[in-house]
Amino acid sequence: MIVNVGDDEEVYGVHVSADLDTVLYTLAGRAGPQGWGVAEDTFTVVETLGSLGVETGFRLGDRDLAHCLHRTERLRRGEPLSSITADVARAMGVTSRLVPATDDRLRTVIETDDGERLAFQEYFVTRRHRDAVDALHFDGAPEARPAPGVLDAVTEAIAVVIAPSNPPLSIWPILAVPGVRDALEKADRVVAVSPLFGGKALKGPAEAVMRTLGLPPGNAGVLAAYDGIITDLVVDRQDAADARHLEGDVRIHVADTRIAAPDAAVRFAEHLLRLP
Amino acid sequence: MIVNVGDDEEVYGVHVSADLDTVLYTLAGRAGPQGWGVAEDTFTVVETLGSLGVETGFRLGDRDLAHCLHRTERLRRGEPLSSITADVARAMGVTSRLVPATDDRLRTVIETDDGERLAFQEYFVTRRHRDAVDALHFDGAPEARPAPGVLDAVTEAIAVVIAPSNPPLSIWPILAVPGVRDALEKADRVVAVSPLFGGKALKGPAEAVMRTLGLPPGNAGVLAAYDGIITDLVVDRQDAADARHLEGDVRIHVADTRIAAPDAAVRFAEHLLRLP
């Protein structure tokens, strides 16, 4: 599982890897119901920081913070993010292979229509993704190398699946790592699952971001975002009409893409591997 | 109030100022009953770190950690410890002036009888002060400068009071800051309160450390530890005999030095200012 690190950020002096941790907590069955953080976490540290006058718009739970503190310490000692992540996955009983796209510093920078440049978490968490996104920059991407295991995972896969994500914000930073796009272009099958339901994302700013970046609306925009990369696009039942209207080389499949529970996720993944 | 920073240490990647925080929490009425940390603190972060395989011999509570995280962030931005401490004191409603002995890096290093050199918290917390202390080193002391306010506090005081502390471990690192000893030698009155009760410390390794460092037993050792610095020594009722046996220039006073509650501490401090 290759995960975006463009959202990584230093908050309260600790290295937050929001996407890596969300995937990790989810696979460990411990994800918070809000879509981030650890389930039933407490907020004693941020509340105490708040009492000391620290701006605490970024609500990092105590357990979540412990993960970040552990990561920060080991990164400072010079260990690569990928091996820290592998150790944490093991400690949490996660057996899937979980790899950051790169061990190097790659940061998504949001350029707003006002010409401001925001760090990802500032845009997403602090300002609640209300700014219109005019352009994305992936700082550090040209020098970044794929983390150990990333290219092998693509090459060895029966099918590469791009999970239902915000294409520009969560997948483009992975594609920006030199070598990843090439490997995907050579893969036999790359299946993207659309994040849209009736043309809209369940949550988050996917449609808005795609629109202000100049992509077409709906699944045509998802296709455009993954242009040259994917062989298959799975759209939700609500968007079945797209399967008929979209043209090109990409095969469009219709499925129930709303995954409520872990066992449904397993069934859906098996379905993706059996796509015609 | 001038506080030792020789015990400061980086733990879990955060800057722990054990003595500063203990004094601060005590003045704020929030000290833990065990003599360190915050009362009724939780330990979610260290427990989570433990689950990730981190060695967690140092039990830092969540609120306590928040203080350390806040300090670490501001130190990294280049702010001096003294101004961070002043801000935290203000945020906690503490009106006493609380100053670290120095803003520079000064660390107490314990040399054991095996010739090992231990960082203070390793000796004190991790190894529970069971090693025989052969010598003390105050790393960084020669280059350290007194923090702003330290020398003024000594010069302006009606009487300087050395609180009932472990003289070598908690007071010597303050005396090691160039300029502090000189200022004390020039002060009219410097009153030390002995940490001994019937020749023994209430807790901690004071007698053992003083013995292995070659100081005489009992209050004679306290006198020797503060040689040249103090004008008065206050000993507990249980050690009233010392008042008759100890000879020299230092005036020995007998009082009930066991301070159980904040109001008793206030009365005791007033008593010290009225010493004959």
Side-chain angles (χ1 to χ4, degrees), chain B residues 16-192:
Chain B
V16 176
S17 292
D19 283 6
L20 267 180
D21 279 347
T22 297
V23 171
L24 192 69
Y25 300 152
T26 302
L27 291 173
R30 302 195 52 196
Q34 67 282 68
W36 53 268
V38 179
E40 291 168 29
D41 210 348
T42 50
F43 293 86
T44 309
V45 175
V46 281
E47 277 157 19
T48 308
L49 285 172
S51 78
L52 297 175
V54 175
E55 203 284 305
T56 54
F58 197 94
R59 302 286 295 171
L60 196 60
D62 297 327
R63 288 173 184 81
D64 210 0
L65 176 86
H67 279 257
C68 298
L69 208 51
H70 167 255
R71 177 188 299 119
T72 307
E73 267 277 83
R74 292 180 60 178
L75 285 172
R76 248 176 229 144
R77 288 203 297 258
E79 290 188 62
L81 183 58
S82 54
S83 55
I84 302 168
T85 304
D87 287 350
V88 172
R90 201 173 303 121
M92 296 189 83
V94 170
T95 52
S96 313
R97 201 165 54 162
L98 192 67
V99 198
T102 178
D103 281 332
D104 299 318
R105 198 181 183 285
L106 184 157
R107 293 291 175 273
T108 301
V109 175
I110 309 284
E111 189 176 326
T112 71
D113 57 348
D114 297 337
E116 247 189 311
R117 282 174 177 242
L118 305 175
F120 183 85
Q121 299 296 353
E122 191 185 354
Y123 156 75
F124 199 83
V125 177
T126 315
R127 297 169 67 140
R128 293 159 197 253
H129 49 73
R130 60 172 172 251
D131 300 271
V133 178
D134 225 40
L136 295 177
H137 304 277
F138 304 111
D139 275 11
E143 297 80 40
R145 293 149 300 171
V150 166
L151 297 186
D152 288 349
V154 172
T155 311
E156 293 165 8
I158 304 166
V160 177
V161 175
I162 299 179
S165 277
N166 186 317
L169 292 183
S170 302
I171 306 300
W172 286 4
I174 301 176
L175 302 178
V177 177
V180 173
R181 180 177 281 272
D182 278 359
L184 286 170
E185 282 172 0
K186 286 186 195 126
D188 287 336
R189 195 154 209 181
V190 179
V191 183

Side-chain angles (χ1 to χ4, degrees), chain A residues 37-188:
Chain A
V38 180
E40 290 167 30
D41 210 348
T42 50
F43 293 85
T44 310
V45 175
V46 281
E47 277 157 18
T48 309
L49 285 173
S51 78
L52 297 175
V54 175
E55 203 285 304
T56 53
F58 198 93
R59 303 283 297 168
L60 196 59
D62 297 328
R63 288 173 184 80
D64 209 2
L65 176 86
H67 278 257
C68 298
L69 208 51
H70 167 255
R71 177 188 300 119
T72 308
E73 266 279 81
R74 293 180 61 178
L75 285 173
R76 251 178 226 144
R77 289 202 298 258
E79 290 188 62
L81 183 59
S82 54
S83 54
I84 302 168
T85 304
D87 287 349
V88 172
R90 202 173 303 121
M92 296 189 83
V94 170
T95 51
S96 314
R97 200 164 55 163
L98 192 67
V99 199
T102 178
D103 281 331
D104 298 317
R105 197 180 185 288
L106 184 156
R107 295 290 175 273
T108 301
V109 175
I110 310 284
E111 188 176 327
T112 70
D113 57 347
D114 297 337
E116 247 189 311
R117 282 175 175 240
L118 305 176
F120 183 84
Q121 298 298 350
E122 191 186 353
Y123 156 74
F124 199 81
V125 177
T126 315
R127 298 170 65 141
R128 295 160 197 254
H129 50 72
R130 62 173 170 249
D131 299 271
V133 178
D134 225 41
L136 294 177
H137 305 275
F138 304 111
D139 274 10
E143 298 80 40
R145 292 150 302 172
V150 166
L151 298 185
D152 287 350
V154 172
T155 311
E156 293 164 9
I158 304 166
V160 177
V161 175
I162 299 179
S165 277
N166 186 317
L169 292 183
S170 302
I171 306 300
W172 284 6
I174 302 177
L175 302 178
V177 177
V180 172
R181 180 176 281 271
D182 277 359
L184 286 169
E185 282 171 0
K186 287 185 194 127
D188 286 337

